[in-house]
Amino acid sequence: MPTTVSMTVNGKKVSGQVEPRTLLVQFIRETLGLTGTHVGCDTSQCGACVVHVDGKSVKSCTMLAAQAEGANVLTIEGLATDGKLHPMQEAFREHHGLQCGFCTPGMVMSAIDLVKNNKNPSEHEIREWLEGNICRCTGYHNIVKAIAAGAKAMA
Amino acid sequence: MPEGTGIGASVRRREDARFLTGSGTYTDDINRPGQTYAVMVRSPHAHAKIKKIDKSKASAMPGFVACFTGDDMKVGGLPCGWLVKNQDGTPMVEPPHPVLAQEYVRHVGDIVAVVIGETKQQARDAADALVVDYGVMPAAVSLKEAVKPGAPQVWEQAKGNICYDWGLGDKAAVDAAFAKAAKVAKLDLVNNRLIPNAMEPRAAIGEFDRATGDYTLYTTSQNPHVIRLLMGAFVLSIPESKLRIVAPDVGGGFGSKIFHYAEEAIVTWATGQIKKPIKWTAERSESFMSDAHGRDHVSHAEMAMDKDGKFLALRVETLANMGAYLSTFSTCVPTYLYATLLAGVYTTPAIFCNVKAVFTNTVPVDAYRGAGRPEATFMLERLVDVCAKEMKMDPAEIRRKNFIQPSQFPYQTPVALQYDTGNYDATLDMALKMIDYKGFPARKEAAAKKGKLRGIGISCYIEACGIAPSAVVGSLGARAGLYECANVRVHPTGSVSIFTGSHAHGQGHETTFAQVVSEKLGVPLEQIDIVHGDTGKIAFGMGTYGSRSIAVGGAALVKALDKVIAKGKKIAAHLMEASEKDVEFKDGKFQVAGTDKAKTFGEVALTAYVPHNYPITELEPGLEEQAFYDPLNFTYPSGCYIAEVEIDKDTGTIEVARFVASDDFGKIINPMIVEGQVHGGIAQGLGQAMLETCVYDKDGQLLTGSYNDYAMPRADDFPSFEVQHSDKPTPCTHNPLGVKGCGEAGAIGSPPALINAICNALGVGHMDMPATNEKIWRAANAHAARAAE
């Protein structure tokens, strides 16, 4: 039985018909067509699907669309404002923190949540925080650099 | 760092804007009107006879569109791209590789049927309702078991499960050298099986156009033209003119997206049957059991030395796992990309290597970042450390003693390759300095005071990249040429579109290739567009793997740019009423030498398209040139990596305290991107060395089939890497850019550095990868027990 879910995504009110088993990431990608949020695994480990739900980073494959009823969701598409990259996006660009780009949206969303709670994270803290985000291209080296620089730029 | 946008500048990547804003277009992001969804029904058994497939329940499910099995899809098999011959000259055993299983399944994940539904969920539900009756058979799983007498047979025609028994080198010379050796070092080792795990799971969309009869396949590929050739010619019999392959943004490949996979052929064939677009996207668990795996060797090696530690001869025997079927490039990986690298950076005069390729009831094994060269380097650089121990020599000194000297180039190795250039002392010296090698004993002592075991390990790698001279690989059994194609289209206003057969899936070609164009033509980056990944737009291409993009694709680009400049000179000479030979092209201007008479590149481009004043009897209008480049030799990047580790004896945990890299990639286009490639390669190499391994149980069930079980490296497993480029680089001598390629070096050079460091810390002769905490703890405590005696 399809149900209707409504939420705010990137500042816009949206709603759609979904099966009860529909995951939030499916709703974002397939119903809303916001394909910047990626699916890299089926065990909630890779972190390619990280979005913010009510201000907190969440793996959007770990919750049902129905659980996000009424929530405020921010995806990678909602970060840049007036064509200007968010300081964390800019830091990833400046420090070559991405290669194939597939893990990138999740990395950036996760990094912003880290900095919200820890304004000046150490290298060790950044590496620990990224436990739930897997990258196969960069060896994490430049991602860590980018997040440290992004944190400074966000201050 | 050079300023500007040309060669040598760390230009920030142009592709990042779309990736950072979620505007990239990966295959699964594409949706076609009226699209249906495919789910592959896969074998849960490693080896079984398909007794019966009952479609009745599945076809009654809501949203069911179609179901096809091997009986329905009678097409050609997936081809193997390289014929390897046995030592006696007979060809390898080349069994069929059906797209959908015919009668038997031969590994967990083998595709038995495809179920197509109106929605993804409906397709999945219908697939769950398909009933397949299997007669389970015994499976040959591990290399060592598969070659034992009486082992289950994967293929009747491959006796003892042997695909080929191949050799390279002069066996008699090796035997003679061993007979007079003062010392012999021996090593048994395993190169652990890996699962590539590009972060984007494979996906494919087939679409048939009723109006034209054309097929389009969107796919996660590193080489769309190769897929068109293999699938069109060998599997589905569709002429190239009716088949378009689009490989849009691709989320990492590492080799695993080179090969032509069954799912590509299935959605393309099936869209022709149902006349609707069909999308298939792998779940990660499917990737684990269907992406070609990497490595998986078991080897024995011996090095003969004289009394001073000079290498006299090397003897290697290797068993290499092929899996159940021969994937596209599987057969050349443990032969021509492996044994040919066993000279390494050393003057070892005689080498013989025997490789037996073995069928098993596992996922096919094929090229994975480095492909054969990491296996050779791990073997050799571990063995050299064993040699040093045997001779009681410093590992750096025994290497230095045996290095090929700069004066010896071009250097012909005893295993077929001819190195054009190199300077191995330079990268060794640099890495030793970076790590402060002399200060190591003090650091070891300081660690010991904290109760820690500290170790240091060196690895000097070389690789053969820029794959490959077509005539050479053709003579060795390759069924393809390995050139590259580039097309330069100068538009009337002077902006430029580049169509390249190279394909970027993380490497940043849209930036580096544009830098080459900017440097050559003097055109700003904003006016240069790099187009790749679409057979409908690009004339031809062999794609990206084997660190070949800049060395081969970049060289093709330079050739095409030179043709544009040559034509531009003719046009400019006409405009300036000068002799063509007096016209120079520099900084974006065609100038009459020694005068201030000049025409800009834009003026010449416009003239080519508005040829009012034009040498029309001698020259066609327009400014567009194409070039193919076939390399004269491989390129030979080399370098030295040093790892320093600290081990906690009580827990077996290991900290990579420092990792330094000194690489010689010849000329470098974009240092920032090159360093990024090295970082990623090192992480994959260290992942292999301390975390990752693919495990099957004895029945052929894949135990490491998800991120719960397969140890993917995380950010907190590594330190920051210290990466520098050689201060005495040796540019490639035979391509126009002097470049060598950098994509695989990190994965090739790093595993032996780490294992050498661990062996050094523990004082053990060898430890197989991955060096897990448990293995280290056992070794550390055995060592402590020995020390106490």
Coordinates of all heavy atoms in Angstrom, one line a residue, chain B residues 103-171:
Chain B
E103 N 23.5 -24.9 -18.4 CA 23.5 -26.2 -17.8 C 24.2 -26.3 -16.4 O 23.7 -26.9 -15.5 CB 24.2 -27.2 -18.8 CG 23.8 -28.6 -18.4 CD 24.3 -29.7 -19.5 OE1 24.9 -29.3 -20.5 OE2 24.2 -30.9 -19.2
Y104 N 25.4 -25.6 -16.3 CA 26.1 -25.6 -15.0 C 26.3 -24.2 -14.5 O 26.5 -23.3 -15.3 CB 27.5 -26.3 -15.2 CG 27.4 -27.8 -15.5 CD1 27.4 -28.2 -16.8 CD2 27.2 -28.7 -14.5 CE1 27.3 -29.6 -17.2 CE2 27.2 -30.1 -14.8 CZ 27.2 -30.5 -16.1 OH 27.1 -31.8 -16.4
V105 N 26.4 -24.1 -13.2 CA 27.0 -22.8 -12.6 C 28.3 -23.2 -12.0 O 28.5 -24.3 -11.5 CB 26.0 -22.3 -11.5 CG1 24.8 -21.7 -12.1 CG2 25.7 -23.3 -10.5
R106 N 29.3 -22.2 -12.1 CA 30.6 -22.5 -11.7 C 31.2 -21.6 -10.6 O 32.4 -21.7 -10.3 CB 31.5 -22.5 -13.0 CG 31.2 -23.7 -13.8 CD 32.2 -23.8 -15.0 NE 32.0 -25.1 -15.7 CZ 31.1 -25.4 -16.6 NH1 30.2 -24.4 -16.9 NH2 31.0 -26.5 -17.2
H107 N 30.4 -20.6 -10.1 CA 30.9 -19.9 -8.9 C 29.6 -19.3 -8.3 O 28.6 -19.1 -9.0 CB 31.9 -18.9 -9.3 CG 31.5 -17.7 -10.1 ND1 30.8 -16.6 -9.6 CD2 31.6 -17.5 -11.4 CE1 30.6 -15.8 -10.6 NE2 31.0 -16.3 -11.7
V108 N 29.7 -19.0 -7.0 CA 28.7 -18.3 -6.3 C 28.6 -16.9 -7.0 O 29.6 -16.2 -7.1 CB 29.0 -18.1 -4.8 CG1 28.0 -17.2 -4.2 CG2 28.9 -19.5 -4.1
G109 N 27.4 -16.6 -7.5 CA 27.2 -15.3 -8.2 C 27.1 -15.5 -9.7 O 26.8 -14.5 -10.4
D110 N 27.4 -16.6 -10.2 CA 27.2 -16.9 -11.6 C 25.7 -16.6 -12.0 O 24.8 -17.0 -11.2 CB 27.5 -18.4 -11.9 CG 28.1 -18.7 -13.2 OD1 28.2 -17.7 -14.0 OD2 28.5 -19.8 -13.5
I111 N 25.4 -16.0 -13.1 CA 24.1 -15.6 -13.4 C 23.3 -16.7 -14.1 O 23.7 -17.2 -15.1 CB 24.0 -14.3 -14.3 CG1 24.9 -13.2 -13.7 CG2 22.6 -13.8 -14.4 CD1 25.1 -12.0 -14.5
V112 N 22.2 -17.0 -13.5 CA 21.3 -18.1 -13.9 C 20.2 -17.5 -14.8 O 19.7 -18.2 -15.8 CB 20.7 -18.9 -12.7 CG1 19.8 -20.0 -13.2 CG2 21.9 -19.5 -11.9
A113 N 19.6 -16.4 -14.4 CA 18.5 -15.8 -15.1 C 18.5 -14.3 -14.9 O 19.0 -13.8 -13.9 CB 17.2 -16.4 -14.7
V114 N 17.8 -13.6 -15.7 CA 17.5 -12.2 -15.5 C 16.0 -12.0 -15.4 O 15.2 -12.6 -16.2 CB 18.1 -11.3 -16.6 CG1 17.6 -11.6 -18.0 CG2 17.8 -9.8 -16.3
V115 N 15.5 -11.3 -14.4 CA 14.1 -11.0 -14.2 C 13.9 -9.5 -14.4 O 14.6 -8.7 -13.7 CB 13.6 -11.5 -12.9 CG1 12.1 -11.1 -12.7 CG2 13.7 -13.0 -12.8
I116 N 13.0 -9.1 -15.2 CA 12.7 -7.7 -15.5 C 11.3 -7.3 -15.0 O 10.4 -8.1 -15.2 CB 12.9 -7.5 -17.0 CG1 14.3 -7.8 -17.5 CG2 12.6 -6.0 -17.3 CD1 14.4 -8.1 -18.9
G117 N 11.3 -6.2 -14.3 CA 10.0 -5.8 -13.7 C 9.8 -4.3 -14.0 O 10.7 -3.6 -14.4
E118 N 8.6 -3.8 -13.8 CA 8.2 -2.4 -14.1 C 8.9 -1.5 -13.1 O 9.3 -0.4 -13.5 CB 6.7 -2.2 -14.1 CG 6.1 -2.8 -15.3 CD 4.6 -2.8 -15.3 OE1 4.0 -2.1 -14.4 OE2 4.0 -3.5 -16.1
T119 N 9.0 -1.9 -11.8 CA 9.8 -1.1 -10.9 C 10.9 -2.0 -10.3 O 10.9 -3.3 -10.5 CB 8.9 -0.7 -9.7 OG1 8.6 -1.8 -8.9 CG2 7.7 0.0 -10.2
K120 N 11.9 -1.4 -9.7 CA 13.0 -2.1 -9.1 C 12.5 -3.1 -8.1 O 12.9 -4.3 -8.0 CB 14.0 -1.2 -8.4 CG 15.4 -1.7 -8.3 CD 16.3 -0.8 -7.5 CE 16.8 0.3 -8.3 NZ 17.7 1.2 -7.5
Q121 N 11.5 -2.7 -7.2 CA 11.0 -3.6 -6.2 C 10.3 -4.7 -6.8 O 10.4 -5.9 -6.3 CB 10.1 -2.8 -5.2 CG 10.8 -1.9 -4.3 CD 11.2 -0.6 -4.9 OE1 11.0 -0.3 -6.1 NE2 11.8 0.3 -4.1
Q122 N 9.5 -4.5 -7.8 CA 8.7 -5.5 -8.5 C 9.6 -6.5 -9.1 O 9.4 -7.8 -9.1 CB 7.7 -5.0 -9.5 CG 6.5 -4.3 -8.8 CD 5.7 -3.5 -9.8 OE1 6.1 -3.1 -10.8 NE2 4.4 -3.4 -9.4
A123 N 10.7 -6.0 -9.7 CA 11.7 -6.9 -10.3 C 12.3 -7.8 -9.3 O 12.5 -9.0 -9.5 CB 12.8 -6.1 -11.1
R124 N 12.6 -7.2 -8.1 CA 13.3 -8.0 -7.0 C 12.3 -9.0 -6.5 O 12.7 -10.2 -6.3 CB 13.6 -7.0 -5.9 CG 14.8 -7.4 -5.1 CD 15.2 -6.3 -4.2 NE 16.0 -5.3 -4.9 CZ 16.1 -4.0 -4.5 NH1 15.5 -3.6 -3.4 NH2 16.9 -3.2 -5.1
D125 N 11.1 -8.6 -6.3 CA 10.1 -9.6 -5.8 C 9.9 -10.8 -6.8 O 9.8 -11.9 -6.3 CB 8.7 -8.9 -5.5 CG 8.8 -7.9 -4.4 OD1 9.8 -8.0 -3.6 OD2 7.9 -7.0 -4.3
A126 N 9.8 -10.4 -8.0 CA 9.6 -11.5 -9.0 C 10.8 -12.4 -9.1 O 10.7 -13.6 -9.2 CB 9.3 -10.9 -10.4
A127 N 12.0 -11.8 -9.0 CA 13.2 -12.6 -9.0 C 13.3 -13.6 -7.8 O 13.7 -14.7 -7.9 CB 14.5 -11.7 -9.0
D128 N 12.8 -13.1 -6.7 CA 12.7 -14.0 -5.5 C 11.8 -15.1 -5.7 O 12.0 -16.2 -5.0 CB 12.2 -13.1 -4.2 CG 13.3 -12.2 -3.7 OD1 14.5 -12.4 -4.1 OD2 13.0 -11.3 -2.9
A129 N 10.8 -15.0 -6.6 CA 9.8 -16.0 -6.8 C 10.3 -17.0 -7.9 O 9.6 -18.0 -8.2 CB 8.5 -15.4 -7.2
L130 N 11.4 -16.8 -8.5 CA 11.9 -17.7 -9.5 C 12.5 -18.9 -8.8 O 13.3 -18.8 -7.9 CB 13.0 -17.1 -10.4 CG 13.5 -17.9 -11.6 CD1 12.4 -17.8 -12.7 CD2 14.8 -17.4 -12.1
V131 N 12.1 -20.1 -9.3 CA 12.5 -21.3 -8.6 C 13.6 -22.0 -9.5 O 13.3 -22.4 -10.6 CB 11.3 -22.3 -8.4 CG1 11.8 -23.6 -7.7 CG2 10.2 -21.6 -7.5
V132 N 14.7 -22.2 -8.9 CA 15.8 -22.9 -9.6 C 16.2 -24.1 -8.8 O 16.5 -24.0 -7.6 CB 17.1 -22.0 -9.8 CG1 18.1 -22.7 -10.7 CG2 16.7 -20.6 -10.4
D133 N 16.2 -25.3 -9.5 CA 16.5 -26.5 -8.8 C 18.0 -26.9 -9.2 O 18.3 -27.1 -10.4 CB 15.5 -27.6 -9.3 CG 15.7 -28.9 -8.6 OD1 16.5 -28.9 -7.6 OD2 15.1 -29.9 -9.0
Y134 N 18.8 -26.9 -8.2 CA 20.2 -27.2 -8.5 C 20.6 -28.6 -8.0 O 20.1 -29.1 -7.0 CB 21.1 -26.2 -7.7 CG 21.0 -24.8 -8.1 CD1 20.2 -23.9 -7.3 CD2 21.7 -24.2 -9.1 CE1 20.1 -22.6 -7.6 CE2 21.7 -22.9 -9.4 CZ 20.8 -22.0 -8.7 OH 20.8 -20.7 -9.0
G135 N 21.5 -29.2 -8.8 CA 22.2 -30.4 -8.3 C 23.6 -30.0 -7.9 O 24.4 -29.8 -8.7
V136 N 23.8 -29.9 -6.6 CA 25.1 -29.4 -6.1 C 26.2 -30.4 -6.3 O 26.1 -31.6 -6.2 CB 25.0 -29.0 -4.6 CG1 26.3 -28.5 -4.1 CG2 23.9 -28.0 -4.4
M137 N 27.3 -29.8 -6.8 CA 28.5 -30.7 -7.1 C 29.7 -30.2 -6.3 O 29.7 -29.1 -5.8 CB 28.9 -30.5 -8.6 CG 27.8 -31.0 -9.5 SD 27.9 -30.3 -11.2 CE 29.5 -31.0 -11.8
P138 N 30.7 -31.1 -6.1 CA 31.9 -30.6 -5.3 C 32.6 -29.5 -6.0 O 32.6 -29.5 -7.3 CB 32.8 -31.9 -5.2 CG 32.2 -32.9 -6.2 CD 30.8 -32.5 -6.5
A139 N 33.2 -28.6 -5.3 CA 33.9 -27.4 -5.8 C 35.4 -27.4 -5.6 O 35.8 -27.9 -4.5 CB 33.3 -26.2 -5.2
A140 N 36.1 -26.9 -6.6 CA 37.6 -26.7 -6.4 C 37.7 -25.2 -6.0 O 37.2 -24.3 -6.8 CB 38.3 -27.0 -7.7
V141 N 38.2 -24.9 -4.9 CA 38.2 -23.5 -4.4 C 39.6 -22.9 -4.3 O 39.9 -21.9 -5.0 CB 37.4 -23.4 -3.1 CG1 37.3 -22.0 -2.6 CG2 36.0 -24.0 -3.2
S142 N 40.4 -23.4 -3.4 CA 41.7 -22.8 -3.2 C 42.7 -23.3 -4.3 O 42.6 -24.4 -4.8 CB 42.2 -23.0 -1.8 OG 42.8 -24.3 -1.7
L143 N 43.7 -22.5 -4.6 CA 44.7 -22.9 -5.5 C 45.4 -24.2 -5.2 O 45.5 -25.1 -6.0 CB 45.8 -21.8 -5.6 CG 45.6 -20.6 -6.5 CD1 46.6 -19.5 -6.3 CD2 45.6 -21.0 -7.9
K144 N 45.8 -24.3 -3.9 CA 46.6 -25.4 -3.5 C 45.7 -26.7 -3.6 O 46.2 -27.8 -4.0 CB 47.1 -25.3 -2.1 CG 48.3 -24.3 -2.0 CD 48.8 -24.2 -0.6 CE 49.9 -23.1 -0.5 NZ 50.2 -22.7 0.9
E145 N 44.4 -26.6 -3.3 CA 43.6 -27.8 -3.3 C 43.2 -28.1 -4.8 O 43.1 -29.3 -5.2 CB 42.3 -27.5 -2.5 CG 42.5 -27.4 -1.0 CD 43.0 -28.6 -0.4 OE1 42.6 -29.7 -0.8 OE2 43.9 -28.5 0.5
A146 N 43.0 -27.1 -5.6 CA 42.5 -27.3 -7.0 C 43.5 -28.1 -7.8 O 43.2 -28.7 -8.8 CB 42.2 -25.9 -7.6
V147 N 44.8 -27.9 -7.5 CA 45.8 -28.6 -8.3 C 46.2 -30.0 -7.8 O 47.0 -30.7 -8.4 CB 47.1 -27.8 -8.5 CG1 46.8 -26.5 -9.3 CG2 47.8 -27.4 -7.1
K148 N 45.6 -30.4 -6.7 CA 45.9 -31.7 -6.1 C 45.2 -32.8 -7.0 O 44.1 -32.6 -7.5 CB 45.3 -31.8 -4.7 CG 46.2 -31.2 -3.7 CD 45.7 -31.5 -2.3 CE 46.6 -30.8 -1.2 NZ 46.0 -30.7 0.1
P149 N 45.9 -34.0 -7.1 CA 45.2 -35.1 -7.9 C 43.9 -35.4 -7.3 O 43.7 -35.4 -6.0 CB 46.2 -36.2 -7.7 CG 47.5 -35.6 -7.3 CD 47.2 -34.4 -6.5
G150 N 42.9 -35.6 -8.1 CA 41.6 -36.0 -7.6 C 40.7 -34.8 -7.2 O 39.6 -35.0 -6.8
A151 N 41.2 -33.6 -7.4 CA 40.4 -32.4 -7.1 C 39.2 -32.3 -8.0 O 39.3 -32.7 -9.1 CB 41.2 -31.1 -7.2
P152 N 38.1 -31.7 -7.5 CA 36.9 -31.5 -8.4 C 37.4 -30.7 -9.6 O 38.2 -29.8 -9.5 CB 35.9 -30.7 -7.5 CG 36.3 -31.0 -6.1 CD 37.8 -31.2 -6.2
Q153 N 36.8 -31.1 -10.8 CA 37.2 -30.4 -12.0 C 36.2 -29.3 -12.4 O 35.0 -29.5 -12.5 CB 37.2 -31.4 -13.2 CG 38.3 -32.5 -13.0 CD 39.7 -31.9 -13.1 OE1 40.1 -31.6 -14.2 NE2 40.4 -31.7 -12.0
V154 N 36.7 -28.1 -12.6 CA 35.9 -27.0 -13.0 C 35.5 -27.1 -14.4 O 34.3 -26.9 -14.8 CB 36.6 -25.6 -12.8 CG1 35.7 -24.4 -13.1 CG2 37.1 -25.5 -11.3
W155 N 36.4 -27.5 -15.3 CA 36.1 -27.8 -16.7 C 36.7 -29.1 -17.1 O 37.9 -29.4 -16.7 CB 36.8 -26.7 -17.6 CG 36.2 -25.3 -17.4 CD1 36.7 -24.3 -16.6 CD2 35.0 -24.9 -17.9 NE1 35.8 -23.3 -16.6 CE2 34.8 -23.5 -17.4 CE3 34.0 -25.4 -18.8 CZ2 33.7 -22.8 -17.8 CZ3 32.9 -24.6 -19.2 CH2 32.8 -23.3 -18.7
E156 N 35.9 -29.9 -17.7 CA 36.3 -31.2 -18.2 C 37.6 -31.1 -19.0 O 38.5 -31.9 -18.9 CB 35.2 -31.9 -19.0 CG 35.3 -33.4 -19.0 CD 34.1 -33.9 -19.8 OE1 32.9 -33.5 -19.5 OE2 34.3 -34.8 -20.6
Q157 N 37.6 -30.1 -19.9 CA 38.8 -30.0 -20.8 C 40.0 -29.5 -20.2 O 41.1 -29.5 -20.8 CB 38.4 -29.1 -22.0 CG 37.9 -27.7 -21.7 CD 36.5 -27.6 -21.5 OE1 35.9 -28.3 -20.7 NE2 35.8 -26.6 -22.1
A158 N 40.0 -29.0 -19.0 CA 41.2 -28.5 -18.3 C 41.6 -29.5 -17.2 O 41.2 -29.5 -16.1 CB 40.9 -27.2 -17.6
K159 N 42.4 -30.5 -17.7 CA 42.9 -31.5 -16.8 C 43.7 -31.0 -15.6 O 44.6 -30.2 -15.8 CB 43.7 -32.6 -17.5 CG 43.0 -33.2 -18.7 CD 41.9 -34.2 -18.3 CE 41.2 -34.7 -19.5 NZ 39.7 -34.7 -19.3
G160 N 43.3 -31.4 -14.4 CA 44.0 -30.9 -13.2 C 43.7 -29.5 -13.0 O 44.4 -28.8 -12.2
N161 N 42.7 -29.0 -13.6 CA 42.3 -27.5 -13.5 C 43.3 -26.6 -14.0 O 43.3 -25.4 -13.8 CB 41.9 -27.2 -12.1 CG 40.6 -27.9 -11.6 OD1 39.6 -27.9 -12.4 ND2 40.6 -28.4 -10.4
I162 N 44.2 -27.1 -14.9 CA 45.3 -26.2 -15.4 C 44.8 -25.5 -16.7 O 44.4 -26.2 -17.7 CB 46.6 -27.0 -15.7 CG1 47.1 -27.6 -14.4 CG2 47.6 -26.0 -16.3 CD1 47.5 -26.6 -13.3
C163 N 44.8 -24.2 -16.7 CA 44.5 -23.4 -17.9 C 45.7 -23.3 -18.8 O 45.6 -23.5 -20.0 CB 44.0 -22.0 -17.5 SG 43.8 -20.9 -18.8
Y164 N 46.8 -23.0 -18.2 CA 48.1 -23.1 -19.0 C 49.3 -23.3 -18.1 O 49.1 -23.0 -16.9 CB 48.3 -21.8 -19.9 CG 48.3 -20.5 -19.1 CD1 49.3 -20.1 -18.3 CD2 47.2 -19.6 -19.3 CE1 49.3 -18.8 -17.7 CE2 47.2 -18.4 -18.7 CZ 48.2 -18.0 -17.9 OH 48.2 -16.8 -17.2
D165 N 50.3 -23.8 -18.6 CA 51.6 -24.0 -17.9 C 52.6 -23.2 -18.7 O 53.1 -23.7 -19.8 CB 51.9 -25.5 -17.8 CG 53.2 -25.8 -17.1 OD1 54.1 -24.9 -17.0 OD2 53.4 -26.9 -16.7
W166 N 53.0 -22.0 -18.3 CA 53.7 -21.1 -19.1 C 55.1 -20.8 -18.5 O 55.2 -20.9 -17.3 CB 52.9 -19.8 -19.2 CG 53.5 -18.6 -19.9 CD1 53.4 -18.3 -21.2 CD2 54.2 -17.5 -19.3 NE1 54.0 -17.1 -21.4 CE2 54.5 -16.6 -20.3 CE3 54.5 -17.3 -17.9 CZ2 55.2 -15.4 -20.0 CZ3 55.2 -16.1 -17.7 CH2 55.5 -15.2 -18.7
G167 N 56.0 -20.5 -19.3 CA 57.4 -20.1 -18.8 C 58.0 -19.0 -19.6 O 57.7 -18.7 -20.7
L168 N 58.8 -18.2 -18.8 CA 59.6 -17.1 -19.5 C 61.0 -17.1 -18.9 O 61.2 -17.2 -17.7 CB 58.9 -15.8 -19.1 CG 59.5 -14.6 -19.8 CD1 59.4 -14.5 -21.3 CD2 58.9 -13.3 -19.2
G169 N 61.9 -17.0 -19.8 CA 63.3 -16.9 -19.4 C 64.2 -18.1 -19.8 O 63.7 -19.0 -20.4
D170 N 65.4 -18.0 -19.4 CA 66.4 -19.1 -19.8 C 66.6 -20.0 -18.6 O 67.4 -19.7 -17.7 CB 67.7 -18.4 -20.2 CG 68.7 -19.3 -20.8 OD1 68.6 -20.5 -20.5 OD2 69.6 -18.9 -21.5
K171 N 65.9 -21.1 -18.7 CA 66.0 -22.1 -17.5 C 67.4 -22.6 -17.4 O 67.9 -22.8 -16.2 CB 64.9 -23.2 -17.8 CG 64.7 -24.1 -16.6 CD 63.5 -25.0 -16.8 CE 63.2 -25.8 -15.6 NZ 64.2 -26.7 -15.2

